Amino acid sequence: MAKLLGPLPNYTFLFLSFLLLVYSGTQMVEAQLCERRSRAWATNFCPGNLLCNRQCRNAEGALSGACLREVLGNQYDTDVTTWSPAGRLFQVEYAMEAVKQGSAAIGLRSKTHVVLGCVNKANSELSSHQKKIFKVDDHIGVAIAGLTADGRVLSRYMRNECINYSFTYESPLPVGRLVVQLADKAQVCTQRSWKRPYGVGLLVAGLDESGAHLYYNCPSGNYFEYQAFAIGSRSQAAKTYLERRFENFTDSSRDDLVKDAIMAIRETLQGETLKSSICTIAVVGAGEPFHVLDQGTVQQIIDTFETAAEQEDPATEPDAATGQEAAAEQGTAADHGGSTDEGAAPMDI
Amino acid sequence: MPAACLLTGSYGSTLRYKSVERMKPIGKHSLLGASGEISDFQEILKYLDELILYDNMWDDGNSLGPKEVHNYLTRVMYNRRNKFNPLWNSLVLGGVKKGEKYLGTVSMIGVNFEDNHVATGFGNHLARPILRQEWHENLSFEDGVKILEKCMRVLLYRDRSAVNKLQIAKITEEGVTISQPYSLKTYWEFSAFENPTQGAVGSW
């Protein structure tokens, strides 16, 4: 075709075709997703499109390669030591996601007692369920949700701290201080490139000179004190129950507190029958060292209010709402407005 | 709760220093009194300073009470003894926290206990018998001071390393106050002290 045209048009033709090729070439690399993942970059994400492209074409005979980091997640979530432009640490947030995936744990407190409860999750019918409530000392206990292995390690740390304090001072370690130490330990993992955040949320229940306390420790290294709280999967249902009732908890008796805990757990089960084999309850209080209630006792309590529920069924379900600490932390006005509305209705026992 | 100590610092058998305050308040709730090596006592005060500082830095509602301080001191004394490098002191630790009174002692080898009345050195031999007789649960502060002054007077008469200058410390829920140094009235006009060499042969 070039022979038919004059000499000048040749160059123009070549130049135009060159442009065409280049343009279409770049389009091929960026516009479409790759057919398969590169074998060379199996464990890391390749750092940039140019390198990726060259490597894929030279080593694996591909037509083109592209950096897939932008496709999965984002480019700021590989390291815990990388900030995103919006000022977020994605790895820490992903760790908090892990807590939401764990099975539910709830805690509530009165002036003198704290109750922890959790839903027992077992891998299969053949296996035993995972231990999620740990005694840390006679006056402190913890319920976990998330990576139970991380939870176990942190419980061991807490037990160690308590024992050392007791040995030196012949006095129980104040819960508030243990919680701060735990939070500082979690914070370290959010600021080291060779560590990862703990993937477990802890509900720490304890007694000290100033009364009964319930704290929630986050993988982010934050901690909050709560009147009542729930964490883990389907915990929102328990939170709603707690939110409607938390104002009464301060003066609750120990037994009422345990009942409320069991009812809150029932909310997370969403329809599943409540049996003592699928939940664990633990109590700590003035004159009562931290201990897990045995299955028989729990089943008895379940039986008492199951029968009561049969008698006054329409009233019981709405009763099950309990006030949650979160109300104090987040939109207080809105939450209180909500709870007073429901408090006005003829339900509370 | 009253506590008393003499203001002497000895250098071997020489009564070298006569204004050494051997009682110090610790934190909000406790008082520490010591006998023995003054430099080791000062070292202990430094340890406790640091301990109380860290306790205050938590800035929460909790504070170390006399029981905790006593046990901390026990650990320190015992561990030093085990390393064959003791702090050469006998310590008395008293305090009141949340209405609970506490009084304990630790020796240089780490022996520790709590009691209603404690003493160091010669006080164990001369003062405690008096205290055992005269102490009772409902002592008022003034009566307590009277008993302590009686004990100190006996010690003043009988312990050669005593000097007539003492302080009384008062520990209550509100805090610790240490009195200014003062002297006890003593009586030397016993007839046996007149003309002491009367019946002695070969004395001058």
Side-chain angles (χ1 to χ4, degrees):
Chain A
M1 192 173 171
K3 280 185 183 163
L4 296 175
L5 300 167
L8 214 55
N10 261 353
Y11 294 124
T12 326
F13 169 72
L14 275 170
F15 179 63
L16 282 171
S17 56
F18 169 72
L19 272 178
L20 197 66
L21 270 168
V22 168
Y23 185 62
S24 57
T26 39
Q27 277 224 315
M28 243 164 36
V29 171
E30 284 170 5
Q32 67 194 56
L33 273 179
C34 305
E35 282 175 6
R36 64 167 173 80
R37 200 193 177 95
S38 154
R39 285 189 201 105
W41 298 102
T43 47
N44 295 325
F45 284 110
C46 56
N49 265 333
L50 223 58
L51 192 60
C52 235
N53 192 31
R54 195 177 347 123
Q55 169 73 16
C56 288
R57 283 177 33 219
N58 293 342
E60 298 183 49
L63 270 175
S64 66
C67 186
L68 279 183
R69 195 192 348 221
E70 282 88 28
V71 181
L72 305 168
N74 54 63
Q75 57 185 204
Y76 308 114
D77 66 356
T78 312
D79 280 321
V80 74
T81 50
T82 305
W83 287 99
S84 82
R88 296 160 69 171
L89 290 169
F90 282 106
Q91 280 295 308
V92 176
E93 296 185 20
Y94 297 162
M96 283 154 68
E97 255 336 283
V99 177
K100 296 184 198 162
Q101 302 299 324
S103 57
I106 59 116
L108 25 97
R109 66 154 178 167
S110 70
K111 222 182 321 210
T112 52
H113 287 79
V114 195
V115 179
L116 292 174
C118 71
V119 171
N120 296 337
K121 194 196 270 187
N123 281 336
S124 77
E125 290 211 352
L126 300 168
S127 76
S128 65
H129 61 83
Q130 284 197 313
K131 187 166 174 187
K132 285 164 46 90
I133 294 190
F134 298 92
K135 174 170 175 168
V136 168
D137 202 343
D138 284 336
H139 67 299
I140 301 181
V142 63
I144 62 170
L147 265 53
T148 32
D150 284 0
R152 220 176 40 241
V153 160
L154 287 177
S155 300
R156 186 165 57 232
Y157 168 76
M158 291 163 81
R159 285 172 177 167
N160 210 37
E161 292 299 303
C162 282
I163 278 184
N164 284 338
Y165 189 92
S166 267
F167 175 70
T168 311
Y169 300 105
E170 278 268 332
S171 220
L173 175 59
V175 211
R177 294 192 181 183
L178 178 62
V179 160
V180 172
Q181 283 174 267
L182 201 54
D184 288 345
K185 194 173 161 70
Q187 191 278 341
V188 169
C189 297
T190 66
Q191 212 177 2
R192 305 282 184 271
S193 59
W194 61 90
K195 286 183 181 254
R196 64 156 177 85
Y198 287 105
V200 64
L202 302 116
L203 281 172
V204 183
L207 244 51
D208 69 24
E209 286 175 353
S210 43
H213 297 277
L214 175 70
Y215 292 91
Y216 171 53
N217 275 73
C218 238
S220 60
N222 280 329
Y223 67 95
F224 304 97
E225 184 161 7
Y226 284 100
Q227 187 75 40
F229 199 45
I231 54 176
S233 66
R234 295 187 290 206
S235 58
Q236 189 52 51
K239 281 187 207 171
T240 317
Y241 176 91
L242 294 168
E243 245 160 60
R244 290 169 65 172
R245 294 194 127 192
F246 77 95
E247 270 149 345
N248 300 326
F249 286 163
T250 318
D251 301 310
S252 254
S253 73
R254 173 212 185 266
D255 294 328
D256 282 341
L257 216 61
V258 175
K259 248 189 233 147
D260 275 319
I262 298 179
M263 298 226 256
I265 292 194
R266 188 173 61 173
E267 296 299 309
T268 66
L269 297 172
Q270 306 228 330
E272 234 178 289
T273 35
L274 177 67
K275 303 188 290 257
S276 62
S277 56
I278 49 173
C279 69
T280 309
I281 306 284
V283 189
V284 63
E288 188 180 351
F290 185 88
H291 64 287
V292 175
L293 300 181
D294 77 317
Q295 281 212 346
T297 322
V298 177
Q299 190 59 49
Q300 273 179 354
I301 302 175
I302 294 175
D303 292 335
T304 50
F305 64 72
E306 296 279 72
T307 42
E310 280 159 23
Q311 288 161 15
E312 34 164 322
D313 204 76
T316 325
E317 285 304 69
D319 271 356
T322 37
Q324 195 175 28
E325 207 71 14
E329 307 288 318
Q330 300 146 14
T332 323
D335 284 334
H336 274 186
S339 58
T340 41
D341 279 346
E342 280 153 337
M347 9 191 96
D348 276 8
I349 300 168
Chain B
M1 177 194 297
C5 81
L6 296 178
L7 278 88
T8 59
S10 299
Y11 185 60
S13 54
T14 305
L15 309 186
R16 187 163 179 188
Y17 302 106
K18 302 199 190 144
S19 297
V20 178
E21 292 200 8
R22 293 186 288 118
M23 288 196 299
K24 292 287 176 198
I26 309 289
K28 286 186 290 218
H29 308 280
S30 327
L31 174 88
L32 175 68
S35 72
E37 174 60 48
I38 306 287
S39 63
D40 282 351
F41 175 54
Q42 290 171 340
E43 185 77 359
I44 289 172
L45 288 178
K46 284 203 100 183
Y47 286 149
L48 289 177
D49 230 1
E50 199 183 321
L51 182 75
I52 299 293
L53 179 70
Y54 280 119
D55 190 42
N56 291 338
M57 269 164 59
W58 279 103
D59 200 19
D60 58 5
N62 299 297
S63 56
L64 293 171
K67 179 179 186 198
E68 286 84 19
V69 177
H70 182 225
N71 277 286
Y72 171 79
L73 285 172
T74 307
R75 289 292 118 236
V76 170
M77 301 301 269
Y78 183 65
N79 277 305
R80 289 288 297 257
R81 166 258 192 176
N82 283 342
K83 294 196 279 200
F84 279 89
N85 183 20
L87 289 160
W88 208 281
N89 294 108
S90 287
L91 304 170
V92 166
L93 201 298
V96 185
K97 188 179 177 193
K98 289 226 170 76
E100 297 224 358
K101 294 174 284 199
Y102 187 89
L103 183 63
T105 178
V106 194
S107 76
M108 68 186 251
I109 55 171
V111 176
N112 78 310
F113 54 90
E114 267 178 79
D115 209 337
N116 295 316
H117 41 80
V118 294
T120 64
F122 256 89
N124 276 308
H125 303 109
L126 299 176
R128 290 198 76 194
I130 302 174
L131 290 166
R132 276 187 211 120
Q133 281 248 314
E134 313 220 350
W135 184 89
H136 60 88
E137 185 69 51
N138 301 313
L139 270 177
S140 71
F141 178 70
E142 289 70 29
D143 287 338
V145 173
K146 271 203 207 83
I147 298 177
L148 275 181
E149 284 187 346
K150 184 172 178 183
C151 296
M152 296 308 260
R153 189 171 286 114
V154 169
L155 284 164
L156 181 60
Y157 284 138
R158 293 294 174 182
D159 185 359
R160 69 120 176 95
S161 60
V163 147
N164 195 359
K165 193 170 172 195
L166 76 150
Q167 289 180 306
I168 299 273
K170 176 177 184 176
I171 312 144
T172 58
E173 187 71 49
E174 287 78 47
V176 176
T177 42
I178 304 180
S179 73
Q180 286 299 309
Y182 67 100
S183 305
L184 293 171
K185 286 203 184 55
T186 54
Y187 181 71
W188 298 96
E189 310 311 314
F190 293 104
S191 57
F193 295 158
E194 285 165 26
N195 216 354
T197 58
Q198 193 168 26
V201 174
S203 60
W204 56 97

